[in-house]
């Protein structure tokens, strides 16, 4: 029995679990071994379980059909899973050092991390062409005002941009536009601008500001730079989605705290019945910025909608909304209060008409507020606590319900509720196969749950999160498997595996590193610009040179080239007592620079198993 009362559960968690237990009776193959039918997690007939097992089983040597890139939250990393097996394939370190790949230890990645050695990754966003994932890059946000680009040829972080000026708490990010022109950001917290201003929170409503930022992406190499910013009232911007197809050129963000309150927001920011979804005409904003409009704040040109009208409108939405999601055809914008029992489908054409007719019900610091009744098409009774919606083919929509701890499926246009499947427990976001594109695949849906509550071998109080795979190939959704994930599964995207084209080794001819060497006769130590530079080769199963001597107090750079051109032949280079641990992939050169402060003899060795004589791959650094 895996649901038992423990002291310390919050009431909300308890309610969620009770609701989940109540709903679980009908749920098929979610039972851990030994669970009794009719109890939490139980009830699946054996035949259902074997069908489910067959659907997730990927035989040894066979490959999964999809990649899922899952947010690692405050671990600062991205986790890669294969679907349908839900096997964890790889961890991509982005904002935190990761000794397993040497990330954050070599000179380049250390410089990229800068003074921050953690990040809070929330929303992975795959690059798109024509509104479809194109398999080139993955962008991920960090709450510390940053956005990073991962290259999907080698699954490595290539750029971290920021902290971006004026942005405080980069939550509403890293959503890309349909042709990856921009990765969009929105601030969760408002502060007085520019940063460094210390106005008290008694002036919050007037002097604190939110900021929307467009990060420009170079279509050739993905290089990111700051495009433009828009200043807003001090709402807490939350989640976003770019318009697509008929709504291409628009960006949507939810916010809470339209009250402009401070203090205990759970009370102060939930006074009004409605918050907002911002509708931003980003093409018009890009044009205004290019024409030189805006004021300099914190070293950046910032557009103020009061002075530059025609960029931003506010759509009233149920209070404290979370996700906002644009349907594959771009026609509907789905959003709701996260304590409501319905989700609202706003009609993009009605939004446009209301803007043309100035069908407003007021304004917020000069930003017009559209009339709710004029822009909504339907309120769909999905269930309690709708957070986020994903899409399938044929107009199917799937909404996560935090309070009900379930996923509801329903139809765009007819608004009929189709099915509901319980989640264990308390689902936050959900991700469908190619679910954010103009052509969702259907097939699989993953619930990213906040609580696992012992549906796994106990590991003590620090429990993992859980992700559940759901079969959505039929109208009747079926739970297929549980996977336990690292914190914190905020969001994920799922891309067809054949869209990603990786390299196996770094080709020698593409290595232009100034300290790269390919012949052992070039290896050795030299003094350059007042420091010791060691050019080293790593190849099965030795380092050349096998030892080097430096002077105490000297700055030392060791440049290791892994001259292998064979798949999977990585070498590591660690120096004991010096906190040095890098990993060099085949064909790569990496450098590590340090001050030889401690005197003595320090072994170095290969950390990555590379061959039968891996253990012999070692040497000495002598510091005199
Ligand atoms: S968010 S659940 Cu960025 Cu929804 Cu965390
Ligand atoms: Cu090289 Cu182990």
């Amino acid at each position: 029995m895996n649901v038992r009362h423990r002291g310390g559960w919050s009431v909300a968690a308890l309610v969620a679990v009770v609701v989940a237990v109540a709903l679980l009776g009908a749920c098929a193959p979610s039972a851990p071994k030994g669970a009794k039918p009719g109890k939490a997690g139980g009830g699946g007939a054996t035949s259902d379980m074997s069908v489910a097992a067959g659907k997730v089983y990927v035989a040894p040597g066979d490959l999964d059909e999809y990649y899922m890139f899952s947010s690692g939250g405050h671990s600062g990393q991205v986790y890669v899973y294969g679907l349908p097996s839900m096997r964890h394939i790889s961890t991509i370190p982005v904002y935190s050092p990761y000794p397993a790949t040497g990330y954050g230890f070599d000179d380049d990645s250390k410089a990229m991390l800068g003074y921050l050695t953690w990040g809070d990754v929330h929303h992975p966003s795959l690059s798109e062409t024509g509104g479809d994932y194109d398999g080139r890059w993955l962008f991920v946000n960090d709450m510390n005002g940053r956005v990073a680009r991962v290259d999907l040829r080698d699954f490595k972080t290539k750029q971290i941009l920021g902290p971006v000026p004026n942005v405080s708490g980069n939550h509403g990010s890293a959503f890309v536009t349909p042709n990856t022109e921009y990765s969009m950001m929105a601030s969760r917290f408002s502060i007085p601008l520019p940063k460094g201003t210390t106005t008290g929170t008694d002036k919050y409503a007037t002097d604190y500001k939110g900021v929307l930022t467009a990060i420009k992406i170079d279509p050739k190499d993905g290089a990111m730079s700051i495009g433009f910013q828009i200043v807003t009232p001090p709402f807490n911007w939350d989640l976003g989605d770019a318009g697509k197809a008929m709504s291409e050129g628009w960006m949507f963000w939810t916010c809470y705290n339209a009250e402009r309150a401070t203090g205990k927001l759970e009370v102060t920011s939930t006074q009004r019945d409605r918050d907002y979804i911002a509708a931003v005409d980003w093409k018009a904003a890009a044009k205004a910025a290019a024409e030189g409009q805006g004021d300099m704040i914190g070293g950046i040109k910032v557009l103020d909608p009061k002075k530059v009208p025609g960029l931003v409108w506010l759509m009233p939405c149920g209070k404290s909304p979370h996700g906002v999601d644009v349907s594959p055809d771009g026609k509907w914008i789905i959003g709701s209060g996260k304590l409501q029992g319905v989700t609202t489908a706003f009609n993009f054409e009605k939004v446009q008409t209301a803007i043309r007719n100035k069908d407003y019900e007021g304004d917020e610091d000069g930003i017009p507020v559209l009339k709710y009744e004029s822009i909504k098409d339907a309120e769909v009774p999905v269930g309690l606590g709708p957070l986020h919606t994903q899409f399938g083919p044929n107009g199917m929509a799937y909404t996560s319900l935090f309070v009900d701890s379930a996923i509801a499926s329903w139809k765009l246009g007819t608004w009929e509720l189709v099915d509901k499947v319980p989640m264990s427990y308390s689902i936050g976001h959900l991700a469908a196969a190619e679910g954010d594109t103009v052509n969702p695949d259907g097939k699989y849906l993953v619930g990213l749950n906040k609580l696992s509550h012992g549906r796994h071998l106990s590991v003590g109080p620090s429990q993992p999160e859980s992700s559940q795979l759901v079969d959505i190939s039929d109208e009747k959704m079926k739970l297929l498997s549980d996977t336990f994930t690292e914190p914190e599964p905020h969001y994920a995207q799922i891309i067809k595996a054949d869209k990603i084209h990786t390299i196996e080794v770094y080709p020698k001819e593409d290595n232009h590193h100034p300290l790269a060497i390919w012949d052992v006769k070039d290896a050795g130590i030299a003094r350059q610009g007042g420091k010791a530079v060691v050019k080293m080769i790593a190849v099965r199963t030795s380092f050349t040179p096998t030892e080097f001597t430096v002077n105490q107090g000297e700055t030392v750079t060791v440049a290791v080239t892994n001259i292998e051109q064979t798949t999977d032949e990585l070498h590591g280079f660690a120096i004991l007592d010096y906190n040095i641990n890098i990993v060099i992939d085949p064909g790569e050169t990496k450098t590590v620079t340090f001050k030889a402060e401690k005197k003595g003899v320090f072994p170095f060795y290969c950390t990555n198993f590379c061959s039968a004589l891996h253990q012999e791959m070692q040497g000495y650094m002598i510091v005199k």
Side-chain angles (χ1 to χ4, degrees), residues 454-468:
R455 283 169 71 94
H456 46 76
L457 291 175
S458 176
V459 288
S462 185
Q463 300 206 359
E465 266 57 62
S466 100
S467 287
Q468 290 182 301

Side-chain angles (χ1 to χ4, degrees), residues 71 121-123 141 143 171-173 175 188 238-239 322-323 387-388 427-429 448 450 488-491:
S71 125
V121 171
H122 277 242
H123 319 114
N141 70 315
M143 284 292 287
H171 189 262
S173 166
F175 314 104
R188 173 167 158 203
D238 201 23
L239 278 161
H322 195 49
L387 286 190
H388 190 63
I427 181 172
H429 288 235
L448 305 163
K450 294 300 175 192
E488 179 64 59
H490 293 282
Y491 194 41

Side-chain angles (χ1 to χ4, degrees), residues 20 62 98 101 145 187 194 218 322 353 409 416:
D62 281 355
Y98 187 56
T101 61
S187 58
D218 187 314
H322 195 49
T353 309
S409 63
E416 71 194 279

